Amino acid sequence: MSSEIKNIPPVAIEKPKFKVWNGARAIAEAVKVADVDVISAYPIRPYTGIMNALASMIANGEFIADVVIADSEHSQFEIVKHASAVGARTFVGSSGVGLAYAAEAIIVTALSQLPVVGAIGTRALDDPGNFGMEWSDVLMFRDYGWLISWAKTVQEAHDMTLVAYRVAEDKRVLLPHFVVLDGAALTHVATPIVPVTKEQATDFLPPYKPPYRIDPIDGPVTKAQHIAPSLIGPEQRKLVDVATKRAKEVIVEAWKDFATYTGREYPPFIEAIGMEDADFALIGMGAYMKDIEIVAKRMREKGVKIGTIRLRYVRPFPAEDLLRVIDGVKAAGVIEFGYSFGSPFGTGSLYHEIATSLYETNTRPELLDFLFLGGREPKVEHFMKAAEMIIESVHKKPQKKAYWLTLRGEDI
């Protein structure tokens, strides 16, 4: 299985037609060609650009969908939950505390196995007015049955949206799916991309045919029913558990098929660069991986055997793939923008996932956590400092596990 992004000849040979779009527009364009039926919207930046772009497309007659402007994020996620239950292909999105406000509907959507697709532009939780980039808004929902993929580029955010519908609606899965793009760093940054055409999307993504829609002509069906704890509570959760496990094979199939239509071949779960002989590794997700890869490249030029590991999915978490690419590494550092106050060793949410995975190995590398919190933007120099600390950890036992490299004042 490949660990790097490759370009291969697509099925339809024609000159690529580049568009310069930001992440918000790229997501909206993917929703358009996915032929979505129902969109619910409520503004909160940085997500707002996606709903604005969709509204403009529909107003201009570029495609037809029912758009419902909700009175809050809670109502927004309730609308797509119910629309999905009656058989509609749906789209939703949010950011920061708006996502937190919708928690009840988000959780029930997964337990009802409704394949809603949502785009999240990550945002800090919420010192009022702090619209900087953090991951804790999304990661607080990693335990409730949503699939979660994380884009590095505008192109990947566009492509991930199409693949999200394909995976979520597969009858072996039937789970909701978040496509995550880092707020501002991707939502508001424009780059050239090659869009998926309507013809490619139609061939890749068949119409959604729910097996158990709520419709009188289909007979009695119940979803999100009120149940006593002793009735089907454990069985309901086991269904979601099994569907999440099945999602791994469906994700592999979907990305392989996506490549045949578009010519863009992605490694399904992990992008590993320079890891073949690496003694050290920087592990992360999202838009800042481009800067982290620059750091690794510069250190490689100085003879340091260091590589990068980028996670493309948080749920399902690709533990087996991670263990495969990190084998033989002496020390690694997690670069993350999420927190978990009071956690073991004061480390972040992503660190916990990676540390748990590494516990199953016999040769666990030294693992440090580098936290970039509160929306303060890091620089390449911060990632270089992290790499230097990883290398030093092999020779001198670190005093602690977690470091706040953008903090002003003493990191106590």
Side-chain angles (χ1 to χ4, degrees), residues 41-371:
Y42 186 81
I44 183 170
R45 60 182 170 179
Y47 147 78
T48 309
I50 302 173
M51 65 173 274
N52 289 348
L54 286 166
S56 295
M57 292 173 188
I58 292 171
N60 294 333
E62 296 180 31
F63 79 111
I64 298 173
D66 288 325
V67 180
V68 184
I69 307 301
D71 63 358
S72 68
E73 288 89 350
H74 186 279
S75 298
Q76 185 190 6
F77 277 80
E78 283 287 347
I79 290 165
V80 288
K81 182 185 77 178
H82 289 271
S84 181
V86 299
R89 178 172 286 165
T90 61
F91 177 76
V92 71
S94 193
S95 296
V97 290
L99 193 66
Y101 185 41
E104 182 193 24
I106 290 172
I107 292 167
V108 176
T109 299
L111 281 174
S112 301
Q113 291 200 262
L114 298 170
V116 170
V117 170
I120 306 302
T122 56
R123 173 175 170 169
L125 297 167
D126 192 56
D127 346 70
N130 186 344
F131 51 85
M133 198 277 284
E134 275 188 347
W135 293 348
S136 296
D137 54 353
V138 180
L139 292 178
M140 71 166 67
F141 292 104
R142 70 188 189 277
D143 299 331
Y144 300 117
W146 282 66
L147 308 176
I148 302 174
S149 59
W150 218 291
K152 181 175 77 170
T153 65
V154 173
Q155 179 76 68
E156 191 174 39
H158 179 79
D159 296 345
M160 271 185 173
T161 305
L162 270 300
V163 174
Y165 281 107
R166 169 76 173 260
V167 174
E169 295 172 358
D170 190 289
K171 290 182 174 57
R172 293 167 288 178
V173 180
L174 289 176
L175 289 175
H177 198 314
F178 282 137
V179 176
V180 183
L181 56 168
D182 290 337
L186 277 192
T187 55
H188 288 64
V189 172
T191 64
I193 79 164
V194 179
V196 177
T197 66
K198 178 62 180 174
E199 292 74 21
Q200 290 171 330
T202 301
D203 290 340
F204 172 71
L205 185 63
Y208 174 44
K209 296 181 179 178
Y212 307 111
R213 66 174 181 172
I214 296 178
D215 191 311
I217 65 174
D218 294 341
V221 173
T222 180
K223 290 181 182 291
Q225 63 272 39
H226 187 195
I227 64 166
S230 61
L231 291 178
I232 61 171
E235 292 76 19
Q236 196 175 32
R237 282 149 182 76
K238 176 52 67 175
L239 285 173
V240 175
D241 175 56
V242 171
T244 306
K245 293 171 179 171
R246 286 176 178 164
K248 285 192 172 182
E249 64 179 273
V250 176
I251 288 168
V252 172
E253 292 173 8
W255 282 108
K256 184 178 181 181
D257 202 25
F258 183 82
T260 65
Y261 288 103
T262 65
R264 292 188 290 279
E265 182 182 12
Y266 294 86
F269 292 104
I270 285 180
E271 182 185 18
I273 299 176
M275 289 301 301
E276 296 80 5
D277 61 346
D279 292 327
F280 310 99
L282 291 164
I283 310 170
M285 305 188 295
Y288 283 97
M289 284 305 299
K290 297 189 290 292
D291 300 315
I292 295 166
E293 290 160 7
I294 289 172
V295 167
K297 182 179 179 182
R298 289 178 181 175
M299 298 195 83
R300 275 271 174 184
E301 291 170 353
K302 296 178 181 178
V304 179
K305 292 182 178 180
I306 187 169
T308 60
I309 299 171
R310 177 173 71 93
L311 304 176
R312 299 183 70 237
Y313 282 82
V314 177
R315 287 292 181 272
F317 192 84
E320 298 84 358
D321 298 72
L322 174 66
L323 297 185
R324 174 175 54 80
V325 298
I326 206 170
D327 184 47
V329 166
K330 297 175 182 175
V334 181
I335 306 292
E336 62 176 315
F337 297 77
Y339 53 79
S340 179
F341 293 128
S343 66
F345 309 111
T347 51
S349 307
L350 184 60
Y351 179 96
H352 304 158
E353 302 278 342
I354 293 169
T356 300
S357 303
L358 295 179
Y359 187 80
E360 296 301 320
T361 64
N362 294 323
T363 55
R364 289 188 290 272
E366 185 70 48
L367 189 66
L368 302 181
D369 198 23
F370 300 98
L371 296 162

